[in-house]
Amino acid sequence: MSRKKKGFIPALALLMVMSIVLSACGGKGGVEGTPEKPVELIWYTIGTPQKDVDKVMAEVSKYTAEKIGVTVKMSMVDWGDYAQKLQVMTASGEAVDIMFTSSWAFDYVQNARKGAFLQTDDLLKEYGQGIVDTLDPAFLEGSKVDGHNYGIPANKELPAQEVWRFNKKLLDKYNLDISKVYSLESLEPMLQKIKASEPDVYPLAVDKNQVPYVPYDYVIEKLPMAVPLNTTDFKIVNVLDTPEMKQILKTMHKYYKAGYIPTEAATLDSLTDLQATGRWFADRATSQPFADNLWSASYGYPVVSTPASEPLIYNWSVMGSMQAISANTKYPEKAMQFLNLLNTDPVLRNMVDSGIEGVHYKKVNDNVMENLDESKNYDMPTFALGNVMLTYLNTTDPANKWEEFKKFNDAGTKAPLLGFNFDTSKVATEIAAVNNVKQEFWAALMTGTVDPDVYLQRANEKFKAAGLDKVMAEAQRQLDEWRAANK
Amino acid sequence: MITWEPLDVFSKTSTKNKAMLVMVLPATLWFILFSYLPMAGMVIAFKEYRYSRDGFLASIIESKWVGLQNFKFLFSTNDAYIITRNTVLYNVFFIVLGLIIAVAMAIVLAEITNKKLAKIYQTGMFLPYFLSWVIVGYFVFSFLSLDRGVVNRIAGSFGIDPMNWYSDPTYWPIIIVVVFLWKSVGYNSVIYLAAIMGIDKSLYEAAMIDGANKWQQIRNITIPMLTPLITILTLLAIGKIFYADFGLFYQVPRDSGTLYSVTNVIDTYVYRGLKSTGEIGMSTAAGLYQSLIGFVLVITSNGIVRKFNKDNALF
């Protein structure tokens, strides 16, 4: 025994000395987070990884070190992998300071409740005043979870408007008129024409993520609980039981059988390949002012669109793009300072968005720029990186683009469930089971691959068995409470 | 100094078998790191997992205990039954058919007198084993695609209506089994072929002198000599009967929802659950259920083998 003790004491002493030396080393440099000794923020964001990210971030870091004493390391995760990868990363407590979150990828509300994000109420007051001043108040208000903010929404279009998009080359070739198009049914004559004349083109491009538009506001995206947009009593219904959904699924199935929709739609991950080759005629997308310019520039051929719904402000459009501070960040103040700068400083915002001036883009005048060839190595999703209204215009954009955005935002009316966030913790078991059922039937039904007369009933039976009624009852209870509190 | 007899024996045997112990070391470390250490994570199955800002371990410790709550979603629909049935039934078919076909192929290959031709067949059968399931998935898709697939094209030329393979579960049990066998039989037959090559040639010579024909030689020499190997490989396969080949059940049916009733197995179910809800507790619960039943199955099947033939049992 005594021999063991002897070995133990020197080891302990060594450990103590080491820890003193190490901590002394750490303290020598003075205060962290100054231009001389910046702290590094790790930033995870969504989008196809770009070759020049590190190069651009080196420039960004020079600028931010000078301004607020931080450097930035950005990691991009591809669209399809983002939610999954970030879920695993936050669950295992990996070091992240800032991360992209939204209603549609790496679910904001759910993860805020699980404790993935830092609550930012006080930080916003202290270091984020610029954000509070520039953002449309509807954004911060609409993205509150249980009364607190956990993320910084990007300043962008507030309402969501569904549109039909068309490949203009084909429209012109067959001299088709889109001015009367609005409903899914109204597309039929055109689809027929294209199917008959262009065998290599998909008349209606649909992938497995698409859901036909029905005038309902979903409680949780892509789960069949919703209230009608014109509701007065706020009664939650199973959207699969509504006449509108039944009708539109019937039409989708008809189109599928007629060969208008890609045969493998229910298993198609994305339409990227179709868009790259231009072998599509029409599809549906969510729009913003002058979106046609954006799409045309991105695909390399003209795209035009026409409305398919009214512009409405939904929960999911308010939370469509946000940056949150990780709950385990070491530098919460610095992270908020950086987000504040990102949303208020045009130099930083455009550097993050378009890269290095003279390398990736050149300026035409004060707020208009043109992409250079190198921009293919740094093509970022503008909407996902903070305040879009600071970004330089493209040469094709009208000078009043941002005024139009503001008008569009002011004109948007609120969807019935705006501001209501369903707390699923009491029905987590049922939600998991309902989700499993959804995966089994959803894509096949929504893409028209299967006959709704047969499969709707099967799906509904299984949803019931999985406990959808209980989930709906709980949602209804919370909704009634929320309405009483917000009268 | 304290002496303890088992420790003494241990140190003596370990110095004696130093070389052997060093050889097992990598595998032992691997098992400790990737199989035994993560076992502690089982507690997540009984917790409502919430993130803590002090990292993963703190998250586990601070999360609330919820008892068997996480297991409920498995059994609230008939999902638990379907995925268990699918996993076990498919594996039973894989084991039985895989064994028969692999042994038959090995015997046929061994009997081919033209050695060059035998090598060509063997390589051809072996090749699919090296393909990834993603590639196999596209390969199958080129056969079964609704409008461009080979099968529908051929059927079309006979005037048969094209069939939407990826939304009709009827034929998928057969498709899955065929694809699995196509990919794995070559590999297994090579193992059996090696064993056949090791059989003493004088046995066959003696049999021929006694006037035994080819069929009698196979039945009375080759198969009995292969029995120990067959037992061990089958036992190992039964041990994994609760583990499905994720790629086969996820990539080959292209994750098509309408096929879940016949393609959903425990592994894909856990993966999808984690992917869509991010509830780690529930995924862990499903994983634990899989391990537990698998454990029971291995112990039982090994027990049965022990009863019949002690030498052939694994432990």
Side-chain angles (χ1 to χ4, degrees):
Chain A
M1 282 303 273
S2 62
R3 226 176 55 197
K4 257 188 193 163
K5 234 179 208 164
K6 252 186 221 157
F8 178 66
I9 289 172
L12 190 72
L14 189 70
L15 200 73
M16 281 170 74
V17 170
M18 289 253 294
S19 63
I20 290 166
V21 171
L22 279 176
S23 60
C25 278
K28 223 182 258 171
V31 195
E32 281 191 322
T34 57
E36 293 77 38
K37 199 167 184 315
V39 297
E40 187 185 63
L41 296 179
I42 299 170
W43 183 12
Y44 271 82
T45 190
I46 197 166
T48 310
Q50 297 296 313
K51 218 171 129 192
D52 282 357
V53 164
D54 288 344
K55 204 163 126 191
V56 174
M57 285 308 129
E59 283 300 308
V60 166
S61 293
K62 268 185 223 160
Y63 184 76
T64 50
E66 194 59 44
K67 283 239 160 185
I68 50 172
V70 303
T71 61
V72 182
K73 183 171 181 349
M74 183 195 269
S75 298
M76 298 184 76
V77 180
D78 218 337
W79 303 100
D81 305 331
Y82 189 81
Q84 212 179 320
K85 183 148 186 202
L86 267 282
Q87 223 146 51
V88 174
M89 284 180 59
T90 41
S92 58
E94 207 156 317
V96 186
D97 296 300
I98 300 173
M99 52 195 148
F100 174 86
T101 171
S102 68
S103 55
W104 51 273
F106 190 47
D107 189 86
Y108 164 69
V109 176
Q110 203 186 75
N111 282 294
R113 288 215 173 95
K114 275 190 198 161
F117 311 134
L118 201 65
Q119 197 244 85
T120 54
D121 292 356
D122 296 334
L123 281 173
L124 257 177
K125 265 186 222 131
E126 205 169 335
Y127 300 100
Q129 207 49 53
I131 296 171
V132 179
D133 293 342
T134 45
L135 269 183
D136 192 317
F139 279 114
L140 284 174
E141 199 48 48
S143 62
K144 277 186 175 165
V145 178
D146 307 328
H148 300 290
N149 282 106
Y150 292 88
I152 311 301
N155 202 19
K156 58 175 189 67
E157 78 283 2
L158 200 47
Q161 180 167 33
E162 297 298 318
V163 294
W164 296 112
R165 299 194 300 178
F166 297 91
N167 189 340
K168 192 159 180 293
K169 258 189 277 177
L170 292 168
L171 276 183
D172 293 347
K173 188 171 171 189
Y174 296 99
N175 206 9
L176 297 167
D177 175 27
I178 58 169
S179 61
K180 290 199 180 59
V181 171
Y182 192 77
S183 67
L184 179 67
E185 283 79 10
S186 66
L187 283 171
E188 188 162 13
M190 287 198 270
L191 300 180
Q192 215 165 1
K193 173 85 189 146
I194 296 293
K195 176 75 190 167
S197 344
E198 295 274 342
D200 283 342
V201 167
Y202 285 117
L204 184 62
V206 172
D207 68 17
K208 70 174 180 186
N209 305 311
Q210 197 140 111
V211 181
Y213 176 77
V214 286
Y216 283 83
D217 192 3
Y218 292 84
V219 175
I220 295 179
E221 234 180 306
K222 293 188 179 174
L223 281 188
M225 307 178 284
V227 298
L229 288 179
N230 56 7
T231 186
T232 48
D233 60 353
F234 286 79
K235 172 129 185 30
I236 296 173
V237 294
N238 177 353
V239 80
L240 297 179
D241 276 339
T242 62
E244 291 95 334
M245 187 55 108
K246 281 181 181 160
Q247 177 55 39
I248 208 158
L249 292 184
K250 232 175 237 167
T251 311
M252 287 298 280
H253 187 54
K254 190 169 97 188
Y255 287 1
Y256 183 83
K257 278 199 299 196
Y260 302 157
I261 293 169
T263 49
E264 64 266 38
T267 54
L268 206 59
D269 283 318
S270 80
L271 296 170
T272 316
D273 291 347
L274 275 187
Q275 282 152 358
T277 53
R279 280 177 42 229
W280 60 284
F281 169 67
D283 76 348
R284 219 195 66 224
T286 312
S287 181
Q288 52 167 244
F290 311 111
D292 292 1
N293 286 341
L294 220 67
W295 290 322
S296 304
S298 149
Y299 298 158
Y301 51 82
V303 174
V304 292
S305 64
T306 181
S309 80
E310 293 300 311
L312 280 181
I313 308 175
Y314 297 93
N315 276 325
W316 59 265
S317 65
V318 173
M319 303 175 195
S321 159
M322 310 178 73
Q323 299 289 344
I325 299 173
S326 166
N328 64 11
T329 179
K330 273 187 256 157
Y331 316 108
E333 296 89 5
K334 286 288 158 195
M336 182 53 87
Q337 280 179 348
F338 174 74
L339 287 178
N340 193 49
L341 201 64
L342 182 71
N343 282 290
T344 53
D345 185 317
V347 179
L348 172 63
R349 180 63 181 87
N350 281 292
M351 216 171 348
V352 169
D353 199 63
S354 309
I356 305 162
E357 189 179 347
V359 178
H360 299 102
Y361 71 96
K362 68 167 194 250
K363 267 173 107 167
V364 179
N365 65 42
D366 241 9
N367 62 348
V368 181
M369 61 142 222
E370 203 172 6
N371 276 335
L372 297 175
D373 282 350
E374 279 296 296
S375 71
K376 66 175 188 295
N377 292 328
Y378 195 74
D379 182 15
M380 304 291 274
T382 302
F383 78 94
L385 298 164
N387 194 350
V388 298
M389 300 195 195
L390 293 177
T391 55
Y392 300 139
L393 300 177
N394 271 311
T395 43
T396 49
D397 284 331
N400 65 345
K401 182 173 177 182
W402 303 129
E403 279 89 73
E404 287 296 320
F405 259 69
K406 287 191 181 114
K407 259 190 231 160
F408 185 64
N409 283 356
D410 292 338
T413 44
K414 291 177 175 174
L417 296 182
L418 182 64
F420 169 67
N421 288 311
F422 181 25
D423 181 358
T424 55
S425 57
K426 282 211 184 89
V427 284
T429 310
E430 286 78 12
I431 289 269
V434 164
N435 249 315
N436 279 325
V437 178
K438 184 206 99 181
Q439 289 192 38
E440 187 170 342
F441 292 100
W442 200 254
L445 271 172
M446 296 302 156
T447 54
T449 310
V450 294
D451 185 358
D453 287 340
V454 182
Y455 278 84
L456 261 182
Q457 201 192 341
R458 270 193 220 172
N460 275 331
E461 272 166 22
K462 250 195 138 177
F463 272 126
K464 269 206 168 59
L468 182 64
D469 291 341
K470 193 179 164 195
V471 178
M472 272 166 64
E474 172 66 17
Q476 187 71 59
R477 192 187 63 75
Q478 290 184 22
L479 181 60
D480 292 344
E481 249 169 45
W482 174 77
R483 280 184 66 215
N486 287 281
K487 243 176 198 156
Chain B
M1 210 170 123
I2 312 160
T3 50
W4 185 40
E5 207 184 339
L7 200 72
D8 264 9
V9 176
F10 176 73
S11 71
K12 236 179 239 159
T13 46
S14 48
T15 27
K16 202 170 76 192
N17 298 326
K18 218 190 284 167
M20 302 292 173
L21 283 172
V22 169
M23 274 190 255
V24 240
L25 193 65
T28 314
L29 282 178
W30 195 90
F31 272 110
I32 290 175
L33 278 177
F34 296 108
S35 295
Y36 286 96
L37 273 183
M39 256 186 219
M42 273 191 310
V43 292
I44 298 174
F46 305 98
K47 290 199 159 208
E48 183 183 297
Y49 188 76
R50 287 293 173 269
Y51 309 143
S52 154
R53 55 172 305 168
D54 301 320
F56 182 59
L57 284 178
S59 305
I60 296 181
I61 293 163
E62 286 166 21
S63 292
K64 192 166 78 196
W65 290 98
V66 290
L68 294 176
Q69 186 73 35
N70 285 331
F71 290 83
K72 267 194 191 156
F73 88 111
L74 262 175
F75 301 98
S76 65
T77 54
N78 56 355
D79 282 347
Y81 162 71
I82 287 180
I83 58 178
T84 312
R85 177 201 69 185
N86 284 351
T87 314
V88 172
L89 272 187
Y90 276 121
N91 273 322
V92 166
F93 274 98
F94 292 167
I95 292 170
V96 174
L97 288 176
L99 173 74
I100 294 171
I101 298 176
V103 171
M105 287 296 170
I107 293 172
V108 170
L109 282 176
E111 296 296 337
I112 291 177
T113 37
N114 185 341
K115 285 299 151 202
K116 219 175 194 171
L117 216 54
K119 271 271 163 327
I120 292 172
Y121 290 144
Q122 190 186 330
T123 316
M125 279 166 58
F126 201 28
L127 219 53
Y129 181 77
F130 293 105
L131 295 180
S132 104
W133 279 117
V134 180
I135 295 167
V136 176
Y138 277 104
F139 200 78
V140 175
F141 181 61
S142 73
F143 275 89
L144 300 183
S145 161
L146 178 66
D147 49 353
R148 296 191 175 79
V150 175
V151 177
N152 278 346
R153 286 260 162 120
I154 293 174
S157 67
F158 288 107
I160 303 167
D161 275 343
M163 158 131 187
N164 197 347
W165 293 96
Y166 286 94
S167 64
D168 183 353
T170 322
Y171 298 101
W172 273 90
I174 301 166
I175 297 172
I176 294 272
V177 172
V178 168
V179 171
F180 174 83
L181 291 177
W182 173 76
K183 193 169 184 293
S184 66
V185 150
Y187 176 77
N188 288 323
S189 64
V190 167
I191 297 179
Y192 290 118
L193 184 62
I196 292 173
M197 292 305 175
I199 297 171
D200 195 343
K201 289 280 171 296
S202 58
L203 289 173
Y204 291 102
E205 282 160 18
M208 270 190 278
I209 289 164
D210 288 344
N213 61 21
K214 267 268 132 57
W215 176 239
Q216 284 167 326
Q217 288 174 31
I218 290 169
R219 233 183 44 195
N220 296 316
I221 301 172
T222 315
I223 292 183
M225 294 298 275
L226 283 179
T227 309
L229 183 65
I230 290 173
T231 325
I232 289 173
L233 287 183
T234 307
L235 262 186
L236 286 174
I238 291 173
K240 284 194 185 149
I241 203 163
F242 240 62
Y243 291 83
D245 201 327
F246 180 81
L248 170 63
F249 292 97
Y250 191 81
Q251 306 288 357
V252 176
R254 296 172 69 80
D255 193 20
S256 171
T258 31
L259 303 179
Y260 284 179
S261 57
V262 294
T263 60
N264 213 359
V265 289
I266 299 173
D267 294 82
T268 53
Y269 187 81
V270 173
Y271 175 76
R272 286 194 191 102
L274 183 64
K275 205 171 102 171
S276 66
T277 61
E279 287 290 349
I280 294 182
M282 292 184 193
S283 301
T284 314
L288 184 59
Y289 166 74
Q290 175 181 35
S291 310
L292 257 176
I293 308 244
F295 179 71
V296 171
L297 272 174
V298 181
I299 297 288
T300 332
S301 52
N302 190 65
I304 294 169
V305 173
R306 251 163 93 101
K307 236 182 190 156
F308 288 111
N309 185 345
K310 221 172 171 181
D311 292 337
N312 282 349
L314 279 176
F315 48 84

